[in-house]
Every structure is written in C-alpha cells, then in structure tokens.
Amino acid sequence: DQQVKQNSPSLSVQEGRISILNCDYTNSMFDYFLWYKKYPAEGPTFLISISSIKDKNEDGRFTVFLNKSAKHLSLHIVPSQPGDSAVYFCAASEGSGGSNYKLTFGKGTLLTVNP
Amino acid sequence: KAGVTQTPRYLIKTRGQQVTLSCSPISGHRSVSWYQQTPGQGLQFLFEYFSETQRNKGNFPGRFSGRQFSNSRSEMNVSTLELGDSALYLCASSLVPFEAGGRNTQYFGPGTRLTVL
C-alpha cells in the first residue's frame, strides 16, 4: 500500500522552462513533507520542506505547494537547469508531539533537463 | 569535514546468511537513520537512532535491527537474508533527532549495495 505516490516515473523539460514534480499521499496523519534530490552513485540530499500548516514554501528556484484537501503536493523548479537532472523523492512524515516520526517516501521521479 | 561513510560499499551474500553494515556519521552528529532503496519499493525508512537509543522505526520485520554506539557510529544487521533484501542501504546523519528538525537536515552517505544470491 503506497502511502506516498509519485505517479510520473520520469519527466523531461527544456532548460529555462518550469519543472513540476507531483506527489500524492493518502495518510491524513502526515504533517510534514520533504523533497530530496538524488544523483547517481550518491545519497539523497535534502531540497525543501513544508509543514502542513502552510500551503507554500520557497527557496530560491524551488517552490513546494501543498494542497491538503487534495492530499497533493508539487515541487516547482524555475528556471530548470541541466544540473537539476536527478531523481527527486517526495517524502512525508507523521508524528507531531514526540511520537513515532516515520518517514515515508515515494518511488521517485527522474527529471531530465535538456540543454 | 568528512561526510557520512558507509562500509562496505558492496557486499554479496547468500540466502539465509546474516549481514552487518556500518555507518560513521559526520563528526558531531548524534542522529543516524537507515534506509533501504529498491527499484520496486523506492526509498523506505528503516529506523533512526539518537544517543544510542532507537527513536523511530519503519515497517520492517524483526530480521532488520540496528544499534548505535557511544561514538554515534551505527550498525545495521539483517539476519536470515532473503532475495528481496537485495538493495542499496543508505545511512544518514544529522545533529538532532527527527522531532527537533533532523528530518530536513540529514546528510546521506553513498550507501552499501547488498546483493543476496
């Protein structure tokens, strides 16, 4: 039972355009969401996060949007650069208040930014 | 500052054997987490240790266990290996535990590639 779903295994965009990576979740207990980026032969690196009390968080070229009613979040990269080519993982966390902070990941989306 | 190191980088075992993987966190980091990455299931959280105590645990069978030492180094053990345990095992470290912000300040190691034959 996949609680965090990234339905697009891959996405290809042109350099300079917007990349939109999507993520859906089913567990209403999730209260914190994260995006990680992973290059081949390296471990994932944290990119950006958002708490369930917000609907948008920006960090430079990266913006994450959260739609709680739809249980959907998206990562926007503007403008996209060839160096952004990587696998992007969406992750969700439950456990506010000191209980079990499980992290649940999606299967990832391979983003390719073409020069 | 040295990053997270994992040993060994590659390992081949046969079904039924057990395996121990090692992770050395970034100096000063006291939280260590373990993850399993497979093509079919993606990235799955195994457990988090902080100050030698398991703080959080994913949905894995009891064959998967871990521990953390006083110097924050961590080991993960898988007993009675199954073919489905073939995966990339990633370790991540952070200064503080998940509930204190460690979730988004993790630094990952390169992983140990385990193949079970």
Side-chain angles (χ1 to χ4, degrees):
Chain A
D1 176 29
Q2 197 77 18
Q3 294 188 63
V4 177
K5 298 178 184 178
Q6 295 178 255
N7 291 318
S8 297
S10 63
L11 175 68
S12 183
V13 300
Q14 286 300 121
E15 182 179 4
R17 306 293 288 269
I18 184 171
S19 295
I20 300 176
L21 296 100
N22 293 304
C23 179
D24 296 294
Y25 61 96
T26 57
N27 187 344
S28 57
M29 299 299 292
F30 289 145
D31 64 348
Y32 196 80
F33 304 89
L34 309 93
W35 285 93
Y36 285 86
K37 179 169 75 172
K38 186 180 186 297
Y39 293 118
E42 293 183 14
T45 55
F46 168 74
L47 200 54
I48 192 168
S49 62
I50 187 167
S51 165
S52 60
I53 62 173
K54 293 186 173 183
D55 55 18
K56 178 182 173 181
N57 189 27
E58 281 183 87
D59 185 2
R61 297 186 296 116
F62 303 91
T63 303
V64 57
F65 295 92
L66 175 62
N67 183 333
K68 288 188 293 292
S69 60
K71 292 190 174 65
H72 176 84
L73 65 156
S74 60
L75 174 68
H76 292 211
I77 306 174
V78 184
S80 301
Q81 299 173 353
D84 296 329
S85 298
V87 176
Y88 288 79
F89 290 98
C90 168
S93 171
E94 61 177 294
S96 299
S99 59
N100 190 11
Y101 281 77
K102 296 182 193 179
L103 282 178
T104 305
F105 287 80
K107 293 187 179 182
T109 296
L110 172 63
L111 172 66
T112 303
V113 180
N114 302 302
Chain B
K1 201 180 213 182
V4 177
T5 57
Q6 293 186 244
T7 56
R9 291 295 309 279
Y10 301 92
L11 202 50
I12 299 175
K13 292 284 188 179
T14 55
R15 277 182 300 174
Q17 286 187 309
Q18 77 163 20
V19 67
T20 299
L21 310 182
S22 181
C23 172
S24 292
I26 290 173
S27 178
H29 284 195
R30 294 166 60 196
S31 169
V32 174
S33 303
W34 288 91
Y35 300 83
Q36 181 196 66
Q37 185 182 6
T38 59
Q41 296 298 320
L43 198 59
Q44 294 184 281
F45 169 69
L46 281 153
F47 26 64
E48 181 205 14
Y49 285 86
F50 181 80
S51 293
E52 302 178 64
T53 303
Q54 186 180 90
R55 298 291 285 255
N56 299 289
K57 190 176 189 305
N59 298 324
F60 276 80
R63 299 186 298 107
F64 292 81
S65 63
R67 59 178 176 168
Q68 186 180 34
F69 301 96
S70 58
N71 62 358
S72 295
R73 190 177 70 84
S74 177
E75 287 182 347
M76 193 194 90
N77 184 275
V78 188
S79 62
T80 320
L81 283 166
E82 300 176 0
L83 294 179
D85 296 333
S86 294
L88 179 67
Y89 289 88
L90 292 159
C91 166
S93 76
S94 60
L95 272 170
V96 296
F98 281 359
E99 63 266 31
R103 291 175 292 186
N104 55 335
T105 55
Q106 295 183 90
Y107 294 84
F108 281 81
T112 293
R113 173 74 62 185
L114 172 66
T115 302
V116 182
L117 302 175

